[in-house]
Amino acid sequence: MSERKALLILHGKQAMNEAVREAVNGLRERGWQLDVRLTWEGGDAQRLVREALAGGYPHLVAGGGDGTLRDVAQAMAQAGTAASLALMPLGTANDFARAAGVPLEPAQALALLDVPAQAIDLGGVGEQVFLNMATGGFGSQVTANTSEDLKKVLGAAAYLFTGLSRFSELRAASVALQGPDFHWQGELLALGIGNGRQAGGGHLLCPQAQVDDGLLDVSILPAPQEVVGTLRDLLSDGLGLDNLFVRARLPWVELKSAEGLDINLDGEPLQGDSLRFEALPGALRVHLPHDSALLSRPG
C-alpha cells in the first residue's frame, strides 16, 4: 500500500473550482496518487469514507465547509481507522481551519499531507461527533438562519450582520450545566462547547481551546437583563463582551433544559432537553501545521 496515496472527498459545489483542480494536479506531479470523489446529497461523505477505507487509502482529504469536515471526521472516527485526515477548507466561515492555521489556499492545504499527522481530540454527543464546536442559544440561531446569498456577498461578516439585524428576537434559554467540579444554572444567551476556538464566522467563543488536551472548553454568555440591554453595543464596538463569559475546561459536561435547546454541531442541527457532551481523546489523526495554535504540543 503506497503511503503517498490519498482520496479527496470534495463537496459537489466545488467541482468546477479551478484552484482545487490545479492543487490536485500539482500534488500528483509531486508523486502522490490523489483520487477525487464528489458529494451530491446527504450521506455521501460517510459512504465515501467507508469506500476509501475499504480501498486501503491511508490518507483522506475533506474538501468543503465546516459541515463537510465534520461529516468526514465523524465517519472516520466511528470507523476507528488509523488513516489520517487532511483539511481543504472551502466554506464561508472555515472556523476550525482558521483557528488551526490550516491554509485556505487549496495547494497549500494539500501540502500538509507531507506533515506528519497528529492524534487530536473530537467532541461527542450521543452518536454524533463534532470536530470544531457545539453552539447553543442565540448564536446558533444566527448561524442557522444566515442565508447562503448573504454569505456569498459578505463572507464571514454575514453572521455578524444577521445577528445585529435580529436583536428583537433575543431570547434567553434556561439551562443547567454539570461537569466534574463544575455546576452552572441560569439563563444564557449563547453557549459554546469547543474542541476548536471559534464559530459563526470568526467569533472566539472558546479562545483557549486545544485539540490534544482531552478536554472540552465550555463558554457561557449569561443573560442578566443588563447584558440583554447592552449586547448590541458590545458586539458593535467589540469592547467588554469577553469579560461576561463564564468558562470551564472539562472532560465532559451534561446539559439539561426543561424547554429544550437548539444546538449546532459544526452546522448539523441538534435539539434536546438532556444532552451529554464529552471529549474523545486522540480520536482522529489529522495533518495540522507544526505550529498550530490548537496544539498544546506543537510539532
Side-chain angles (χ1 to χ4, degrees):
M1 178 175 64
S2 171
E3 288 299 316
R4 295 171 67 83
K5 172 183 175 183
L7 180 74
L8 168 59
I9 298 175
L10 183 65
H11 193 288
K13 290 196 302 184
Q14 302 294 333
M16 303 304 292
N17 187 323
E18 284 300 319
V20 172
R21 188 176 295 273
E22 291 174 6
V24 169
N25 289 334
L27 197 70
R28 288 170 175 170
E29 290 172 0
R30 288 163 46 203
W32 277 81
Q33 177 188 334
L34 179 59
D35 300 320
V36 182
R37 301 289 184 272
L38 298 176
T39 65
W40 176 257
E41 56 192 353
D44 279 357
Q46 293 86 343
R47 174 179 56 80
L48 291 171
V49 167
R50 291 194 299 269
E51 293 176 0
L53 298 180
Y57 286 90
H59 312 290
L60 278 69
V61 182
D66 289 320
T68 298
L69 305 190
R70 188 203 74 89
D71 288 345
V72 174
Q74 173 169 280
M76 292 179 68
Q78 291 176 340
T81 179
S84 64
L85 174 65
L87 310 177
M88 182 188 284
L90 299 169
T92 301
N94 301 312
D95 280 307
F96 183 84
R98 289 179 186 274
V102 174
L104 302 185
E105 201 281 323
Q108 295 177 21
L110 283 182
L112 288 178
L113 281 168
D114 289 318
V115 175
Q118 300 194 54
I120 72 166
D121 310 332
L122 296 174
V125 52
E127 298 299 317
Q128 299 196 65
V129 166
F130 57 97
L131 176 66
N132 185 44
M133 190 177 298
T135 58
F138 183 67
S140 63
Q141 297 170 22
V142 168
T143 302
N145 287 283
T146 301
S147 74
E148 291 298 322
D149 289 339
L150 193 62
K151 286 192 283 187
K152 290 177 182 177
V153 175
L154 297 180
Y159 296 103
L160 180 58
F161 178 86
T162 302
L164 291 173
S165 67
R166 299 185 63 206
F167 269 89
S168 61
E169 301 177 33
L170 272 176
R171 184 175 65 87
S174 180
V175 304
L177 292 161
Q178 180 76 43
D181 298 319
F182 176 80
H183 177 76
W184 187 92
Q185 184 169 354
E187 294 191 332
L188 60 77
L189 287 176
L191 169 68
I193 301 175
N195 188 46
R197 294 185 174 182
Q198 64 185 54
H203 298 296
L204 282 170
L205 291 179
C206 302
Q208 302 301 317
Q210 294 174 318
V211 294
D212 57 356
D213 60 359
L215 300 171
L216 294 174
D217 281 42
V218 179
S219 290
I220 303 162
L221 180 60
Q225 190 57 46
E226 61 269 20
V227 174
V228 177
T230 61
L231 188 57
R232 181 198 299 270
D233 295 333
L234 289 168
L235 277 180
S236 297
D237 60 23
L239 299 175
L241 184 60
D242 190 64
N243 295 329
L244 299 175
F245 278 93
V246 175
R247 292 196 164 102
R249 310 187 78 189
L250 305 168
W252 58 266
V253 63
E254 293 179 343
L255 180 152
K256 297 185 184 298
S257 174
E259 301 174 355
L261 188 66
D262 292 317
I263 299 292
N264 186 303
L265 298 177
D266 294 352
E268 184 73 15
L270 175 68
Q271 204 278 341
D273 55 16
S274 181
L275 300 168
R276 179 185 171 96
F277 299 84
E278 58 184 328
L280 307 175
L284 187 64
R285 297 175 61 245
V286 180
H287 298 270
L288 295 178
H290 287 300
D291 58 351
S292 173
L294 294 185
L295 295 172
S296 63
R297 300 178 293 275

